[in-house]
Amino acid sequence: PHAARLKVGTSESEPAGAADRGCSPVVTMATRLDLDNPRWDQGTFEGRAKHFFTTTNPLNVLATDEQLDAAKALVLAYRAGTEPEGTTDEQVWEAKHLYDSAFHPDTGEKLFLLGRMSFQVPGNMSITGCMMTFYRTTPAVIFWQWMNQSFNAIVNYTNRNASAGVTNDQLMQAYAGATTASVATALALNKAIASTPALSQGIVGRLVPMVAVAAANCVNIPLMRQREVIEGIDVQDATGKTIGKSKEAAKESLRQVVPSRILMAMPAMFVPPVVMERLERTALLRRMPILKAPCTVLLTGMMLSLSTPLCCAIFPQTATLPVAKVEPDLQEICKSKGVDKIYFNKGL
């Protein structure tokens, strides 16, 4: 809900000279910004896309700890109604965008730099670019798939729903499982097409890393967030008040996050190989093959800069479920409170 503040002044419709005649000034209402929600309507894909283009902006990574802390301080001060005199709405929104890019929505804690969604483009473009350049030998496949899953594990853990705890042993199990799945898939596909040089040396061979990453994401994300499914995650009513925990809400979160993350990787792992297949036939790259990796990394970064915010925006970050689809005991609690729909942070 929007809180209101009074703004005293003469309205446009007030007769000229009314204030001079001693008439009481007109009191108008100016609406306070709603910082409990993003700037744009999250009920539409366009609104969600605008939000994530702002919060996943790679330039946010350059913000210092002092700038991040200042942004958080301004957001908290505005919520309390104690912001500095003269603070503009645009200054508040800039602080909110920076705050959303670097602090966890559940805990308010500062996110680890490598795990922030704003680090997706610079982090993933280097790893993915190399993964698609050096894919023909077994040592290269193992190393770059391991690097990719190490990075993914950090991102998945950082952007989890924080209401469910996870132990170090569980983290290591998830990490090992995802790495094994990606390496095994990549090696198996390489072996399957090795007997056909036209395939292994052509576009099919270049797409092997994409299939391996898709397979690994189906393992990595559920394993990294398995405690959410086992213990349930916090769910709220429409006012934001926590009602209880739900395992069904956790499952719904994964059903939305896994395909989003797979789709996020697809453009960056499909378009560059297709383009590089043609570029490598040019005289420049034949004469200077050392440019293959930088070109692939650059193309990957261009794709990720679009796919990251757009795929984050496929589903609202605050997901909903009808009460009829949650656990029976939680249904009873909701019915006693007159709640017909629950809300929860699905993570990213």
Side-chain angles (χ1 to χ4, degrees), residues 24 49 83 92 128 154 172 189 192 198 245 265 274 304 312 332:
S24 299
E83 73 275 11
V92 176
T128 304
I154 293 172
M172 290 306 299
L189 289 174
K245 287 183 176 289
V274 172
L304 284 172
C312 282
E332 294 300 319

Side-chain angles (χ1 to χ4, degrees), residues 25-296:
V26 176
V27 178
T28 59
M29 301 294 286
T31 305
R32 293 280 286 182
L33 303 178
D34 179 12
L35 297 191
D36 290 333
N37 294 297
R39 185 174 190 172
W40 297 279
D41 180 11
Q42 297 299 284
T44 67
F45 177 78
E46 180 182 359
R48 295 193 296 271
K50 287 181 178 179
H51 170 67
F52 283 111
F53 266 109
T54 302
T55 57
T56 65
N57 186 344
L59 295 178
N60 290 337
V61 173
L62 302 178
T64 64
D65 283 340
E66 290 76 15
Q67 290 173 317
L68 295 177
D69 292 338
K72 180 178 181 179
L74 180 54
V75 169
L76 296 179
Y78 188 88
R79 282 175 172 163
T82 59
E83 73 275 11
E85 186 70 25
T87 300
T88 66
D89 287 355
E90 191 59 35
Q91 288 174 328
V92 176
W93 279 125
E94 287 178 1
K96 179 66 162 54
H97 296 155
L98 195 56
Y99 173 81
D100 286 345
S101 75
F103 293 88
H104 198 284
D106 291 336
T107 65
E109 295 178 356
K110 191 180 297 180
L111 300 172
F112 180 50
L113 177 63
L114 300 185
R116 298 174 195 169
M117 294 308 289
S118 55
F119 194 78
Q120 275 287 292
V121 173
N124 248 333
M125 66 185 285
S126 302
I127 296 173
T128 304
C130 291
M131 190 163 48
M132 292 186 297
T133 302
F134 310 110
Y135 63 91
R136 292 175 180 170
T137 67
T138 298
V141 168
I142 293 174
F143 177 76
W144 287 110
Q145 290 290 341
W146 167 73
M147 282 289 292
N148 185 57
Q149 290 311 313
S150 298
F151 180 69
N152 282 347
I154 293 172
V155 174
N156 295 337
Y157 176 75
T158 302
N159 294 281
R160 74 198 186 286
N161 181 301
S163 63
V166 61
T167 66
N168 290 335
D169 286 345
Q170 291 161 350
L171 284 177
M172 290 306 299
Q173 290 171 7
Y175 173 60
T179 303
T180 301
S182 64
V183 171
T185 302
L187 292 178
L189 289 174
N190 276 345
K191 183 177 181 180
I193 65 175
S195 58
T196 310
L199 292 179
S200 61
Q201 300 297 321
I203 189 63
V204 174
R206 292 176 181 274
L207 294 179
V208 165
M210 181 180 73
V211 179
V213 167
N217 276 339
C218 292
V219 176
N220 194 325
I221 298 172
L223 284 178
M224 290 299 291
R225 298 177 59 174
Q226 61 181 303
R227 299 310 303 175
E228 298 177 29
V229 177
I230 296 172
E231 299 175 2
I233 58 175
D234 287 347
V235 297
Q236 294 82 33
D237 59 18
T239 66
K241 183 179 180 180
T242 299
I243 304 172
K245 287 183 176 289
S246 171
K247 298 175 184 178
E248 292 302 319
K251 294 175 184 177
E252 180 63 21
S253 295
L254 295 182
R255 282 193 287 267
Q256 295 183 13
V257 171
V258 171
S260 296
R261 292 289 292 278
I262 291 175
L263 288 174
M264 188 185 298
M266 293 302 97
M269 302 196 75
F270 179 80
V271 175
V274 172
V275 174
M276 290 303 299
E277 176 75 5
R278 294 180 178 274
L279 289 181
E280 287 182 7
R281 299 173 187 171
T282 64
L284 177 62
L285 288 188
R286 285 181 176 178
R287 189 170 64 253
M288 302 180 67
I290 194 173
L291 293 178
K292 292 180 182 179
C295 286
T296 303

